[in-house]
Amino acid sequence: MLENASFHMTPDEFRRHGKTMVDWIADYYERIESYPVLSQVKPGEIRASLPKNPPAHGEPFESLLGDVAQKIMPGVTHWQSPNFFAYFPSNASFPSILGELLSAGLDVQGMLWATSPACTELETHVLDWLVDMLGLPNQFLSTSSGGGVIQDTASSASLCALLAAREHATNYATNDRGCNGLLVAYTSTQAHSSIEKAVKIAGLGRDNLRLIEVDESFAMRPEALAAQIKRDRDAGLMPCFVSATVGTTASNAFDPLRAIGEICREHGIWFHVDGAMSGTAALCPEFRSIHEGLELADSYTFNPHKWMFTNFDCNCFYVADRKALIQTLSILPEYLRNQATESGTVIDYRDWHIQLGRRFRSLKLWFVIRHYGVEGLRHHIRRHVELAQQFASWVRGDNQFELAAPAPLNLVCFRHRGGDAMNQEIMDRLNRSGDLYLTHAKLGGRFTLRVCIGQTHTELRHVQRAWERIREEAAHASASAKAIA
Ligand SMILES: Cc1ncc(COP(=O)(O)O)c(C=O)c1O
């Protein structure tokens, strides 16, 4: 090897390979429907195809791309396929991908305002835009007592909310002395598992998480919450945190925010709202009732990386009182001291979340918002809701199937009347076929199929085909059940 070999990719090579890579991604989207949506590989298959040892010598870019096609793609589940109806979506768009590329290219560390002022200021600006775009309460604006920050995920955001609630309830003593074992948190039986995880990480202990019962639409019962808080108070415990959900994961239920918020106000409890996927619906004024009562919340989170065409990861987290969050998470080692921080006139986002370092995530969100405009974003959200409502009407009109929960937005929970085993069989057959991908939930103890419509490029034809395939596989599953009987 020459002594002065740098091993680097030169700017010219980067330009060339970069163009190939962008072409590759564009081609991928053009042929995405030709792949099985759910990867069909067996556990261990991908690793077995990779060399045991890392390369001693650098390899040409072409051979990397060749291996992506041959070895990696079979193990990819195509979340961006228009036939992806599983979980909640994690949708992306070309402007977002380009924003991500730019963020990687600049690769700044935005932990402090001073380490890249644009990273902080664009983020604050875009998060303020979103308050307006979603019609969120003014307390979440950076120009009020609160403000927003981009986090990786809703899980991290809810953990930060809980930490701030914990400190708020104990006058910031828990940060010094650790948990007292008396703090109690509340959410519904239908809340996302990230709340339970946050309770474990924050040191409250799982026994101090109360899962409040839900009504027939799977929304939290406020009177059950009030009764549980009273019981805990009477037992000498310290209720400190309630998390309500705007669009539960299993069935898209909406907890009654106003009633829950009023209970929290009465007892001085931190009120957090998790709108992970469904929060995005508030882009459309006609869906804003999902946030009715949100002005009573101390914190709110939603994921543009689910339904707002912004590739993973991108979570927005808002607090009504930024001082409480900053006092909870702030640290100031000597090596981070700088004039801007000391002047008190800038935001240092490292005090708004768990990790120190942070990426320039607002770029991709900014690109998405500027490319689509509010009009374009609303258009697609409305279309997804319309398609889901169409799907729900087909289920209602077929006497072999039934709806398993209300379908207020873009998620339809339904089941074949043939029972749990039949529904499991239908789902497995569909997912094995690779034609579409859907997942299940248990509602009222019963196996329920879920079709969530939120993929960027899903159109009527995909939803029609999904319904046809569901009915076909239901017919096959019924026939084989009869044959066995
Ligand atoms: C209601 C709800 N909250 C939180 C989450 C967790 O999201 P994240 O992966 O961003 O942590 C999800 C994920 O689907 C969710 O549905």
Side-chain angles (χ1 to χ4, degrees):
M1 183 57 63
L2 295 173
E3 237 175 48
N4 60 356
S6 84
F7 301 99
H8 291 308
M9 189 181 276
T10 65
D12 269 345
E13 286 168 331
F14 175 71
R15 205 170 271 121
R16 188 156 50 83
H17 299 322
K19 286 173 183 160
T20 307
M21 195 74 252
V22 169
D23 280 345
W24 190 101
I25 295 171
D27 291 348
Y28 169 66
Y29 276 84
E30 279 178 349
R31 60 171 184 248
I32 198 164
E33 290 180 54
S34 66
Y35 294 98
V37 187
L38 175 67
S39 167
Q40 306 285 315
V41 298
K42 304 264 171 328
E45 220 173 297
I46 300 298
R47 283 202 73 181
S49 75
L50 299 171
K52 191 161 179 293
N53 299 310
H57 305 293
E59 300 178 58
F61 189 72
E62 291 71 16
S63 72
L64 266 74
L65 271 191
D67 280 356
V68 168
Q70 276 171 25
K71 302 182 172 175
I72 302 300
M73 290 308 281
V76 170
T77 287
H78 300 280
W79 282 72
Q80 302 314 315
S81 164
N83 296 311
F84 184 99
F85 301 105
Y87 306 105
F88 277 164
S90 187
N91 68 14
S93 63
F94 293 129
S96 144
I97 296 167
L98 293 175
E100 182 80 61
L101 180 62
L102 179 58
S103 166
L106 296 173
D107 200 22
V108 301
Q109 263 290 352
M111 56 199 174
L112 303 171
W113 177 89
T115 57
S116 212
C119 181
T120 296
E121 294 195 13
L122 182 66
E123 185 160 328
T124 308
H125 202 69
V126 168
L127 271 88
D128 278 355
W129 273 4
L130 280 165
V131 169
D132 182 46
M133 289 166 66
L134 300 177
L136 300 179
N138 284 346
Q139 78 246 30
F140 295 136
L141 284 170
S142 69
T143 46
S144 73
S145 55
V149 59
I150 299 183
Q151 302 231 359
D152 52 4
T153 57
S155 303
S156 298
S158 294
L159 171 60
C160 289
L162 176 57
L163 293 171
R166 186 190 75 181
E167 293 313 303
H168 180 71
T170 58
N171 205 15
Y172 301 87
T174 309
N175 263 346
D176 296 329
R177 297 198 284 274
C179 257
N180 59 14
L182 300 176
L183 294 167
V184 186
Y186 304 80
T187 196
S188 90
T189 56
Q190 299 296 305
H192 189 261
S193 54
S194 52
I195 304 300
E196 180 185 337
K197 197 181 242 187
V199 163
K200 294 202 290 182
I201 298 170
L204 269 68
R206 197 163 31 195
D207 290 350
N208 286 333
L209 173 64
R210 308 281 185 257
L211 297 180
I212 304 300
E213 68 185 77
V214 293
D215 63 19
E216 58 295 336
S217 70
F218 304 102
M220 191 194 289
R221 286 187 187 277
E223 67 284 2
L225 172 69
Q228 184 62 51
I229 291 173
K230 179 166 184 327
R231 276 196 293 279
D232 289 332
R233 278 249 152 97
D234 291 348
L237 299 173
M238 296 172 64
C240 74
F241 177 79
V242 174
S243 179
T245 313
V246 168
T248 57
T249 318
S251 73
N252 218 1
F254 295 91
D255 290 338
L257 302 187
R258 182 165 302 287
I260 296 170
E262 280 166 2
I263 295 168
C264 292
R265 281 277 161 101
E266 185 191 333
H267 294 280
I269 299 173
W270 187 286
F271 180 31
H272 174 62
V273 177
D274 173 4
M277 177 189 70
S278 300
T280 294
L283 283 168
C284 307
E286 66 272 30
F287 301 136
R288 287 205 182 139
S289 58
I290 61 173
H291 284 154
E292 217 276 308
L294 188 59
E295 66 277 13
L296 298 172
D298 295 289
S299 51
Y300 172 72
T301 192
F302 87 104
N303 282 340
H305 71 220
K306 279 190 159 53
W307 195 18
M308 222 181 98
F309 314 100
T310 308
N311 64 283
F312 195 87
D313 51 3
C314 186
N315 163 271
C316 295
F317 177 52
Y318 290 96
V319 284
D321 173 12
R322 59 180 173 266
K323 282 206 199 99
L325 180 69
I326 293 170
Q327 200 174 334
T328 300
L329 298 177
S330 179
I331 33 95
L332 187 55
E334 188 54 35
Y335 49 81
L336 294 180
R337 284 188 187 279
N338 67 87
Q339 273 182 2
T341 298
E342 245 124 269
S343 74
T345 56
V346 299
I347 290 178
D348 288 325
Y349 275 128
R350 61 101 206 263
D351 289 337
W352 292 55
H353 52 48
I354 289 159
Q355 83 282 8
L356 173 63
R358 61 197 328 273
R359 303 197 285 120
F360 203 162
R361 288 195 190 91
S362 56
L363 277 176
K364 59 186 173 186
L365 201 46
W366 191 48
F367 276 30
V368 167
I369 295 170
R370 292 191 60 185
H371 171 85
Y372 286 95
V374 174
E375 179 194 22
L377 294 170
R378 281 183 183 161
H379 167 85
H380 287 288
I381 297 303
R382 285 185 177 129
R383 188 72 189 125
H384 288 155
V385 174
E386 251 171 51
L387 290 173
Q389 296 309 313
Q390 176 98 67
F391 185 90
S393 74
W394 295 332
V395 173
R396 270 189 217 102
D398 186 321
N399 60 15
Q400 291 195 64
F401 288 89
E402 62 186 359
L403 287 179
L409 289 174
N410 62 331
L411 174 71
V412 183
C413 291
F414 66 106
R415 55 175 87 92
H416 189 275
R417 293 182 191 272
D420 284 4
M422 170 75 75
N423 283 289
Q424 173 88 59
E425 175 70 10
I426 294 170
M427 185 178 85
D428 292 346
R429 282 171 170 271
L430 288 164
N431 292 344
R432 266 200 310 272
S433 78
D435 293 345
L436 67 150
Y437 182 23
L438 77 172
T439 49
H440 77 285
K442 279 257 165 99
L443 289 178
R446 294 169 67 192
F447 192 98
T448 303
L449 301 170
R450 296 166 76 264
V451 160
C452 192
I453 296 170
Q455 222 305 310
T456 310
H457 299 290
T458 299
E459 296 169 13
L460 178 61
R461 69 186 169 93
H462 302 106
V463 183
Q464 273 170 334
R465 175 89 182 115
W467 179 232
E468 262 168 42
R469 292 287 296 114
I470 289 166
R471 292 171 69 201
E472 269 168 29
E473 292 304 347
H476 289 140
S478 297
S480 37
K482 275 187 197 131
I484 292 167

